[in-house]
Amino acid sequence: ALCDQGLLGTTFDVVGVVDMATDADYFAYQMKYDSVHGKFKHTVTTKKSDANLAEADIIVVNGHEIKCIMATRNPEDLPWGKLGVEYVVESTGLFTEADKARGHIKAGAKKVIISAPGKGDLKTIVMGVNHTEYQASMDVVSNASCTTNCLAPVVHVLLKEGVGVEKGLMTTIHAYTATQKTVDGPSKKDWRGGRAAAVNIIPSTTGAAKAVGEVLPAVKGKLTGMAFRVPTPDVSVVDLTFLAEKDTSIKEIDTMLKNASTTYLKGILGFTDEELVSTDFVHDNRSSIYDSLATLQNNLPGEK
């Protein structure tokens, strides 16, 4: 169940979590201790029971009970109807195609939010940028990638304030992810992706720039991008190099983004003029933080 109390003040009643095992004690352990975010500051206990749905293992967070449900290759088999689930956050990375994600709907849920770029008949939504285009008839939506949620608010401001983007290249310096290897290992699809994540800078690909075109049609086909996976477990950087459609300056862009961060993108876009590094943004709940001290301008005579 979900109760909407405003754009950034949404309260969720979490009734179930899905994983490859239903061991509530392990769920509790994972919640209590995190290598990046530290110790969980709330009370976590468990209830052990039989494996059938009615008596599934339960994790209890601050007194709230959450059923631990066994994962399945077919979302239609999940007990969403029995649990009264309205919204499913699809974060496995396996069911990003709209038709596959709709298996959750067949299982009894009303809406599915994919936490990655989606494929097929669905809308890509980035909060603060195009969330007003959401319609109640949409049963499956994509919340895009983390990189898209970083880049899109900045591009949104450039368009909204009239600077425009004629063309651009996005490079993301991205923290390593769970799909990478701790030591060199097999990776037939992406040879470089099989190299040890914590000791290499690994060139990779990303569809984030293209996805921004789905969220902001005005830049569709104008942005491309690449990625580098680097040895850090959290916080990534998006470097956008672009040719503006009108004459502007760093001072003007700083002013636009700072104003947006305190008005129409407050809580989504941040602005910093301090000498910060990646770990300073761990726990930051904003989608994108603009670093004004890292912005450069390189115009030739007559260029925008």
Side-chain angles (χ1 to χ4, degrees):
L2 177 148
C3 177
D4 191 355
Q5 299 176 341
L7 179 61
L8 298 175
T10 302
T11 300
F12 295 89
D13 177 14
V14 181
V15 298
V17 292
V18 179
D19 207 341
M20 297 305 296
T22 60
D23 186 349
D25 289 337
Y26 186 50
F27 272 79
Y29 167 74
Q30 289 180 302
M31 180 165 281
K32 285 181 180 179
Y33 306 105
D34 189 280
S35 301
V36 171
H37 298 283
K39 292 183 179 180
F40 192 57
K41 297 178 176 62
H42 303 277
T43 302
V44 183
T45 57
T46 61
K47 288 185 177 181
K48 299 290 286 185
S49 54
D50 296 331
N52 62 75
L53 174 63
E55 301 295 335
D57 283 359
I58 294 171
I59 184 171
V60 185
V61 182
N62 283 347
H64 180 77
E65 296 187 356
I66 305 169
K67 284 186 171 63
C68 303
I69 303 163
M70 178 65 74
T72 173
R73 292 182 180 275
N74 186 1
E76 295 182 32
D77 297 333
L78 292 166
W80 300 146
K82 188 169 184 177
L83 290 176
V85 169
E86 294 184 51
Y87 299 86
V88 170
V89 179
E90 171 49 63
S91 295
T92 66
L94 299 175
F95 308 109
T96 57
E97 295 180 18
D99 289 342
K100 291 182 178 179
R102 287 192 175 94
H104 293 292
I105 305 295
K106 295 177 181 178
K110 294 181 180 178
K111 305 283 185 180
V112 181
I113 304 98
I114 302 173
S115 65
K119 302 174 183 177
D121 179 25
L122 51 73
K123 180 74 173 178
T124 300
I125 300 289
V126 170
M127 295 303 297
V129 177
N130 71 331
H131 63 275
T132 58
E133 297 175 11
Y134 172 78
Q135 298 177 13
S137 61
M138 297 176 183
D139 57 349
V140 177
V141 297
S142 165
N143 191 213
S145 68
C146 55
T147 307
T148 304
N149 276 268
C150 180
L151 178 60
V154 174
V155 176
H156 176 55
V157 174
L158 296 175
L159 297 179
K160 183 178 177 67
E161 302 299 334
V163 172
V165 175
E166 187 170 313
K167 57 183 176 180
L169 169 67
M170 179 217 74
T171 303
T172 177
I173 302 92
H174 202 290
Y176 55 68
T177 70
T179 61
Q180 292 178 252
K181 310 291 183 180
T182 53
V183 296
D184 287 2
S187 179
K188 292 183 179 180
K189 183 179 179 181
D190 176 16
W191 288 9
R192 288 195 280 204
R195 303 299 298 277
V199 294
N200 286 298
I201 297 173
I202 303 175
S204 186
T205 59
T206 175
K210 182 179 178 181
V212 171
E214 299 299 320
V215 177
L216 293 166
V219 295
K220 193 167 187 176
K222 295 182 178 182
L223 296 176
T224 188
M226 62 185 300
F228 292 92
R229 297 291 179 88
V230 298
T232 183
D234 194 29
V235 182
S236 302
V237 177
V238 168
D239 174 22
L240 174 64
T241 302
F242 72 99
L243 184 63
E245 289 184 335
K246 61 168 273 187
D247 289 340
T248 187
S249 67
I250 290 179
K251 184 177 180 180
E252 288 180 344
I253 291 174
D254 283 355
T255 300
M256 294 171 188
L257 290 164
K258 188 172 185 178
N259 176 67
S261 72
T262 59
T263 54
Y264 59 91
L265 285 180
K266 184 177 181 180
I268 294 171
L269 176 67
F271 181 98
T272 182
D273 54 8
E274 297 183 272
E275 302 278 358
L276 302 181
V277 295
S278 61
T279 55
D280 298 322
F281 299 105
V282 175
H283 295 300
D284 200 307
N285 59 10
R286 294 167 295 183
S287 306
S288 177
I289 300 94
Y290 171 68
D291 187 344
S292 63
L293 299 184
T295 303
L296 302 173
Q297 185 173 347
N298 186 24
N299 289 11
L300 295 174
E303 284 189 335
K304 301 170 185 175

